[in-house]
Amino acid sequence: MSTISTALRHFKEPTKDQLTHIYFSIPLSGSGAINETNNGQEIEKMDISAVLSLGEAEDSYAGKLHIIPPYLAFSSVDKKSVKFTVPLSTIRRVERLNARAGVYALSLLTWHGMKIIVQLTSLRPTADLFCSLLRDALKVELQRGQMKQVKTFVKTCYSEVLVSDSSSAPENEREDGSLEEKEGGSQDIQYHGGLGLKFKFPGDPKKLREASKIKLWTSYLRTHGRNLTLLRYPQCTRLVQVGLPNRLRGEMWETLSGSIYLRFANPGYYDRLLEENLGRTSTSTEDIEKDLHRSLPEYAGYQSPDGINALRRVLRAYSFMNPELGYCQAMNILAAAILIYMSEEQAFWLLEVLCSRLLPGYYSPSMHGTLLDQRVFESLVQRYLPIIHEHFQLVDVQLSVASLPWFLSLYINTILKINGEQLLQIQDDGGFLNLMRDYFASLGDSAHPDSSDPRARSITIFQELLLVSFREFSIITDDIIHSERKRFRGEITHSIEAFAKRGAVRNLRSLGRFTKEQVGVIYDALYGAMCIVPPPPVAAPPPTLFTTGEGQEDKPETRIGLRTFRHFLSEIATWARDDKIVMNGFQQRVDREVAEHEFIDRLFYFWDVGCHGALSFQDLVSGLDGVMFNDLMENIEWFFNLHDKNKDGFLTKDEVLTLSESFLFIFRYEIGDAYLGAVSRFMTNAFEYGDALLPQPESKDGEAPSSPLPIGTNQPYLNLATFRMVVLADEVLESFFETDLSESFKLEHHPELDIPPSQSGLLGDLWSSIATDSNKKIFNMFTDELGKTIGKHQVVHKPSIGRYTKLEEPKARESLLTPTLRKSLSKASLSGTSAASSTVAASSSTSTLSVNTTLEPPKPVSQVPDSASLSALPLLKAVNAAALMERTPFAIDDVKDDEDEDEDEDEFDKDNDDRVLDEVDAFLEAHDSGLTDADKQVANDLLHAEPLK
């Protein structure tokens, strides 16, 4: 069993609006449980050129001011110096300043008393419009009541306690930020914190200089806002590079990542999610339980029930919120690390931001994000560290062996740079791993232990690592990384798909009589169909009251529905698609359409042996194995069982008619009347042979045998042996079951699906908007209309079987019934037919089935269209009309063959024979194809035409 995902094929580059949200760390609308309703009011987004000022001590910065309801955001021109994102609900007052003429300035007063001056440098009408939109957005926030929630929310942030005038830190706080236990009672703490409050934070606070960091950050937060109103000035970047104090680390993580806005917009969501899913189990929850005790077991917090339970709740809550992803390995390590510094609710929302926005594809079954960034890293090493790259190529050392767990941080190239001399000495992967292991173990040691300067001795290897990374590799920007991702995305996607294909083939319980290469072709057809019609999300099988085997439960696997199956079968079976060869004088193309018919639906449920209502990859392989390698008798039995709905070994009259419809569907585009005549003869013989097998009532001596007792249309009528006899009585059907049926399933290698290229620039965007499938269809429709206007439009359907390329048909074999038995059965059937039933006239030597009902007058034979214009629709109507009758009457049944009749009856038989032959000749004349030799040659050539690429 395996899961097959097409998510990589559906990847789309983020739009301009989404990139703006990502840049300002604003939650995307519709992600997670975000609640951004504006009471039905739509507030427009707008940006305007502006100059930001914050007191006399700070420089002014030019940039763009954005209204992105319910947020106000600003970014400097260089996109790096200054940036802020504040909820509109944290703005207490907006005033227009009385400045000199020509200056349009606003004063914004935030919740924390910080005054921001914004000078709008656009034209006056633009500035007025911006102010109008800002006023409307503020009114909406006031109506929503979000401004009242700010006071309650900020109490959960440690920064409020840190900058408080009454106390800079709690009385019971240790040097590293953890809290001492109070005797005789619990502590009343409103702000959120992680396990480090109780189990201490990792590291030595003196070496980490926690006290100095706290002083620096306290000073910055007092003047530049905090939590919801934090302004990111250049000093903020420098302080982050110096390091975050343990106690403030969790809050700064959620503020800088933007997860704080998710927590603010969804109060109480985390607790409600856990309560609603209490006691619920899934595959994800089972995997979580397996990995709980493997999550940072060396930390004291995860050696106690408190830490394990907190980690369990966070991971379970995320799997419930995002069931499509659920839980992936290594997610437990990430959650365990952030829980040391953050509360459960904070960690829950940060995990959502990391998995969906900051590290997309890292924590997924395919790990496509990790593999893509690993490829980007190798490219960066080749570009910026060519000597080390060449050496690794020479000694065949794989960077991914050591770098996969920790790459794409700014420290990767730096680690290689600092250890460049040692790296040039290694000769294999083992040496590379040992070098990296020893280096990480010494990060806390002094970088200059032999220096006489105590300040130099106090610099750790980790601090040196930071210094080199920010100085020498600052040229590696986000734009470079995004560009490299676009460059290698197609390569990584193909490699992941190839690996998934090998895994899916390897996990099959049985390949049947297929080779691995043939199963790979089936997989390609299935994957292509899933890209067109995605299947429903993979879900765990429903719980059962009992288990079989060793008690192991089935794992989730990908199953496709009926719509996806139709597309899949159209790539495998020639009769499951309509290949229309279109010629309009301007182009010649092949338009492929997926066929829809009851026969395909019947095949879908026939292969669904587990009654799941959907098919797995194993079901498709087993189903195809059951028909593609069959001989004549096996194919006849397979076709019989396919139409035997209740599996009792008999076909009812209704099922015989349905089987005839299946024949008509498969043969709908064949050249000539050979297959059509075969279906007509099949119906004739099926009802004759079926009536012959019915129980005959006892007749008295000297009396003619009476007609068999009538049976219902849903009663057993035709068994497998009789069905074989009917099929073998016709050369065309015998040939179909012997070779044509199995050969109609073709396993042909398909070209790899192309990844949609990532277009960039004006010309790329313009071309991607023009060369779309809808535009191609419009162009084809336009050329078709022109072709119709000039009289050169022609559509020819490509045959599914293609055995007969001429308008000739083989002669039918003689009926296996004796003439006497045929006569008595036919007369008995005619006598039992009601007046309202249909009359079907057919000859064993003709290939045309005509149906005349009593509801409308019969049409003359000369009005029957020629065979080239026949389609399956009127034939299906004819078969449905035939379903109304108890016994099919035939004109030839009136012929008498009894040698004991008198001379008058013999003369009557001769006249009757002449009338039947005249009828046959009339049908043959009326159904002349009307094709010239040139038309026949064109039809023959189209049998070998290839689909338009």
Side-chain angles (χ1 to χ4, degrees):
M1 296 184 180
S2 60
T3 56
I4 304 173
S5 174
T6 59
L8 299 182
R9 288 284 172 180
H10 299 142
F11 173 82
K12 294 182 179 179
E13 293 290 343
T15 63
K16 183 179 180 181
D17 186 51
Q18 291 173 338
L19 289 175
T20 302
H21 279 71
I22 293 173
Y23 174 75
F24 288 112
S25 303
I26 296 176
L28 296 174
S29 300
S31 63
I34 303 170
N35 180 17
E36 292 188 0
T37 58
N38 292 330
N39 296 333
Q41 304 181 35
E42 289 292 335
I43 305 298
E44 294 184 14
K45 301 177 182 179
M46 185 178 178
D47 62 85
I48 190 173
S49 299
V51 176
L52 177 67
S53 302
L54 185 68
E56 298 180 356
E58 293 289 350
D59 296 332
S60 299
Y61 291 89
K64 288 276 188 179
L65 186 64
H66 300 256
I67 294 180
I68 310 175
Y71 302 95
L72 183 69
F74 176 85
S75 66
S76 57
V77 176
D78 60 358
K79 298 288 186 180
K80 293 187 297 183
S81 299
V82 177
K83 179 174 67 172
F84 72 75
T85 302
V86 296
L88 292 172
S89 54
T90 61
I91 299 178
R92 287 183 170 181
R93 183 184 304 169
V94 179
E95 297 176 329
R96 182 181 174 186
L97 300 180
N98 186 13
R100 64 173 184 263
V103 177
Y104 202 116
L106 299 177
S107 173
L108 308 177
L109 183 64
T110 66
W111 172 266
H112 296 110
M114 182 175 52
K115 189 175 183 180
I116 303 173
I117 307 299
V118 178
Q119 177 185 344
L120 307 181
T121 58
S122 296
L123 296 177
R124 178 64 178 269
T126 306
D128 289 338
L129 177 60
F130 183 87
C131 292
S132 176
L133 293 177
L134 179 60
R135 181 179 62 251
D136 294 341
L138 289 171
K139 287 182 179 179
V140 170
E141 290 302 297
L142 183 61
Q143 295 172 0
R144 290 177 56 196
Q146 284 294 106
M147 295 183 177
K148 297 180 181 179
Q149 298 181 9
V150 176
K151 182 177 181 180
T152 305
F153 181 83
V154 296
K155 291 180 180 180
T156 64
C157 301
Y158 177 73
S159 58
E160 297 295 323
V161 178
L162 192 61
V163 301
S164 174
D165 295 334
S166 59
S167 175
S168 60
E171 296 180 356
N172 60 324
E173 184 175 297
R174 296 190 183 97
E175 185 179 3
D176 65 345
S178 59
L179 300 179
E180 299 177 354
E181 294 289 342
K182 282 188 175 182
E183 298 181 359
S186 61
Q187 307 172 34
D188 185 15
I189 302 176
Q190 292 185 350
Y191 58 85
H192 288 194
L195 297 174
L197 293 178
K198 180 178 181 181
F199 298 99
K200 296 185 179 181
F201 294 101
D204 186 353
K206 292 184 178 180
K207 288 185 177 181
L208 297 175
R209 300 182 179 180
E210 287 291 306
S212 300
K213 293 177 183 178
I214 284 289
K215 291 180 180 179
L216 292 174
W217 276 103
T218 303
S219 175
Y220 181 83
L221 295 177
R222 280 201 177 103
T223 58
H224 296 81
R226 50 196 176 272
N227 46 70
L228 291 175
T229 63
L230 179 67
L231 306 185
R232 304 186 200 179
Y233 269 69
Q235 298 94 310
C236 180
T237 303
R238 296 192 189 100
L239 288 175
V240 171
Q241 293 174 359
V242 170
L244 295 169
N246 287 329
R247 189 61 198 87
L248 195 61
R249 188 182 299 271
E251 181 182 328
M252 294 307 300
W253 277 354
E254 70 168 350
T255 301
L256 298 177
S257 66
S259 65
I260 192 172
Y261 307 126
L262 283 171
R263 186 165 68 92
F264 175 63
N266 299 275
Y269 175 80
Y270 173 73
D271 294 328
R272 291 196 305 272
L273 187 63
L274 288 175
E275 183 178 354
E276 293 171 358
N277 294 276
L278 185 64
R280 176 183 169 188
T281 58
S282 64
T283 305
S284 296
T285 58
E286 295 174 359
D287 293 338
I288 289 172
E289 293 298 326
K290 297 175 183 178
D291 291 343
L292 283 177
H293 295 280
R294 306 172 187 170
S295 310
L296 303 182
E298 66 278 2
Y299 182 65
Y302 297 112
Q303 298 173 5
S304 70
D306 293 343
I308 295 296
N309 292 334
L311 180 60
R312 177 187 291 111
R313 286 190 292 269
V314 170
L315 294 176
R316 285 172 63 93
Y318 182 79
S319 68
F320 295 145
M321 183 184 68
N322 190 356
E324 184 176 354
L325 177 60
Y327 170 79
C328 294
Q329 287 187 346
M331 196 180 288
N332 60 315
I333 304 297
L334 179 64
I338 60 181
L339 268 176
I340 298 176
Y341 304 94
M342 310 177 78
S343 67
E344 292 182 30
E345 186 178 10
Q346 288 175 310
F348 169 76
W349 289 115
L350 180 59
L351 190 64
E352 157 66 15
V353 171
L354 286 171
C355 294
S356 63
R357 179 164 57 84
L358 297 181
L359 301 173
Y362 272 54
Y363 303 98
S364 64
S366 64
M367 296 178 61
H368 60 272
T370 310
L371 297 176
L372 177 59
D373 285 347
Q374 171 65 33
R375 185 65 184 88
V376 172
F377 167 59
E378 294 174 355
S379 174
L380 295 177
V381 171
Q382 182 179 2
R383 183 185 307 178
Y384 296 103
L385 300 172
I387 298 178
I388 295 179
H389 173 75
E390 292 177 1
H391 177 70
F392 279 7
Q393 293 291 322
L394 182 63
V395 298
D396 194 21
V397 171
Q398 301 294 326
L399 279 174
S400 59
V401 171
S403 63
L404 194 59
W406 41 263
F407 72 96
L408 204 65
S409 65
L410 290 177
Y411 317 134
I412 298 181
N413 283 351
T414 311
I415 293 173
L416 300 182
K417 178 80 173 181
I418 292 177
N419 297 276
E421 295 183 2
Q422 294 89 336
L423 288 173
L424 293 177
Q425 303 299 322
I426 65 174
Q427 299 295 325
D428 53 25
D429 293 337
F432 184 32
L433 289 174
N434 292 332
L435 176 61
M436 293 295 100
R437 187 183 300 111
D438 295 342
Y439 178 77
F440 281 117
S442 64
L443 286 178
D445 299 342
S446 174
H448 310 283
D450 300 330
S451 176
S452 57
D453 187 356
R455 297 178 59 183
R457 289 197 303 270
S458 65
I459 299 175
T460 63
I461 295 179
F462 180 72
Q463 292 172 338
E464 183 186 41
L465 173 65
L466 291 177
L467 181 63
V468 174
S469 64
F470 286 116
R471 281 186 178 179
E472 299 196 15
F473 293 99
S474 59
I475 56 176
I476 303 177
T477 62
D478 290 340
D479 292 338
I480 293 178
I481 293 178
H482 291 321
S483 176
E484 292 295 295
R485 284 175 178 172
K486 290 181 181 179
R487 176 185 171 192
F488 295 111
R489 187 176 301 279
E491 174 186 331
I492 295 300
T493 299
H494 282 304
S495 63
I496 292 176
E497 289 176 351
F499 178 79
K501 176 180 176 180
R502 292 193 297 268
V505 174
R506 185 171 56 251
N507 292 333
L508 288 175
R509 295 187 297 272
S510 171
L511 299 182
R513 288 165 284 186
F514 290 112
T515 63
K516 288 187 176 181
E517 290 74 14
Q518 291 174 324
V519 175
V521 176
I522 299 175
Y523 179 92
D524 292 339
L526 172 61
Y527 192 83
M530 291 173 57
C531 290
I532 300 174
V533 183
V538 178
T544 58
L545 297 177
F546 60 91
T547 58
T548 58
E550 299 179 357
Q552 297 180 354
E553 297 183 359
D554 293 337
K555 295 182 179 180
E557 61 179 334
T558 301
R559 291 183 175 273
I560 61 173
L562 180 57
R563 289 183 60 233
T564 310
F565 175 74
R566 290 171 182 160
H567 283 269
F568 163 78
L569 197 63
S570 68
E571 296 293 332
I572 299 294
T574 57
W575 40 262
R577 57 179 181 257
D578 294 341
D579 286 338
K580 296 187 295 185
I581 304 172
V582 182
M583 296 167 285
N584 52 31
F586 300 95
Q587 61 173 343
Q588 179 174 340
R589 67 180 189 275
V590 176
D591 290 343
R592 174 170 293 183
E593 297 180 359
V594 178
E596 295 184 11
H597 192 266
E598 183 187 1
F599 178 68
I600 297 177
D601 302 351
R602 185 181 296 272
L603 187 62
F604 174 82
Y605 293 106
F606 183 67
W607 286 354
D608 183 18
V609 292
C611 299
H612 298 286
L615 297 179
S616 65
F617 183 36
Q618 180 67 68
D619 293 335
L620 296 175
V621 172
S622 300
L624 290 172
D625 178 69
V627 63
M628 291 187 62
F629 300 95
N630 291 346
D631 57 17
L632 171 62
M633 293 303 176
E634 291 172 340
N635 271 334
I636 294 176
E637 182 178 0
W638 179 86
F639 207 78
F640 179 90
N641 293 332
L642 178 62
H643 292 83
D644 183 11
K645 187 175 182 180
N646 55 5
K647 310 304 178 187
D648 61 347
F650 285 89
L651 296 180
T652 65
K653 287 187 176 181
D654 288 342
E655 289 172 344
V656 171
L657 294 174
T658 302
L659 190 145
S660 302
E661 292 182 9
S662 300
F663 279 139
L664 293 174
F665 167 70
I666 296 175
F667 304 146
R668 64 194 183 281
Y669 295 131
E670 298 305 313
I671 298 176
D673 297 337
Y675 289 99
L676 185 60
V679 177
S680 173
R681 293 188 295 274
F682 168 80
M683 295 180 63
T684 302
N685 294 333
F687 282 106
E688 286 184 355
Y689 298 173
D691 286 346
L693 296 177
L694 293 177
Q696 304 292 332
E698 296 181 0
S699 58
K700 298 180 180 180
D701 296 338
E703 294 184 1
S706 60
S707 61
L709 298 177
I711 63 171
T713 57
N714 60 347
Q715 297 298 317
Y717 182 68
L718 198 70
N719 59 20
L720 176 59
T722 309
F723 178 71
R724 285 199 190 102
M725 184 168 56
V726 174
V727 170
L728 296 177
D730 190 276
E731 180 180 348
V732 176
L733 292 182
E734 180 184 359
S735 174
F736 169 72
F737 282 107
E738 185 174 11
T739 57
D740 295 342
L741 177 60
S742 297
E743 290 181 358
S744 66
F745 295 89
K746 299 182 182 298
L747 298 182
E748 300 175 347
H749 286 279
H750 299 275
E752 291 186 354
L753 294 175
D754 294 330
I755 304 295
S758 300
Q759 302 291 349
S760 59
L762 178 60
L763 293 178
D765 295 339
L766 181 62
W767 175 250
S768 62
S769 62
I770 293 177
T772 61
D773 292 338
S774 59
N775 288 342
K776 293 177 182 178
K777 291 180 180 178
I778 294 175
F779 175 76
N780 290 337
M781 292 174 59
F782 175 72
T783 56
D784 289 345
E785 291 298 327
L786 289 180
K788 293 177 182 178
T789 304
I790 63 178
K792 292 188 177 181
H793 184 266
Q794 186 178 4
V795 177
V796 180
H797 292 274
K798 188 175 180 180
S800 303
I801 306 300
R803 173 174 292 274
Y804 298 102
T805 59
K806 297 181 181 180
L807 301 180
E808 299 177 359
E809 64 168 289
K811 293 183 179 180
R813 298 171 181 172
E814 287 294 330
S815 174
L816 300 181
L817 297 178
T818 62
T820 305
L821 187 57
R822 280 177 46 204
K823 182 191 68 171
S824 60
L825 291 178
S826 299
K827 295 177 67 176
S829 300
L830 284 172
S831 62
T833 305
S834 62
S837 64
S838 305
T839 302
V840 179
S843 172
S844 60
S845 62
T846 64
S847 61
T848 303
L849 176 65
S850 62
V851 178
N852 296 326
T853 65
T854 59
L855 300 178
E856 59 181 14
K859 298 180 181 180
V861 176
S862 58
Q863 296 181 3
V864 179
D866 54 33
S867 61
S869 62
L870 285 178
S871 64
L873 183 59
L875 299 177
L876 294 179
K877 293 182 179 179
V879 175
N880 291 331
L884 300 174
M885 57 190 175
E886 285 288 327
R887 170 65 175 88
T888 308
F890 298 94
I892 199 171
D893 290 332
D894 296 332
V895 181
K896 299 180 180 180
D897 318 289
D898 198 344
E899 297 178 357
D900 297 333
E901 297 290 340
D902 54 17
E903 296 180 359
D904 294 335
E905 291 180 350
D906 291 340
E907 292 178 0
F908 177 77
D909 289 342
K910 293 179 180 179
D911 295 338
N912 207 353
D913 289 339
D914 295 337
R915 182 172 60 83
V916 172
L917 292 177
D918 292 340
E919 181 181 339
V920 171
D921 294 336
F923 266 109
L924 292 177
E925 268 186 311
H927 285 74
D928 181 63
S929 65
L931 296 178
T932 64
D933 293 338
D935 294 335
K936 296 177 182 178
Q937 184 62 34
V938 171
N940 188 24
D941 294 339
L942 293 178
L943 295 175
H944 309 287
E946 296 293 334
L948 187 63
K949 301 297 182 181

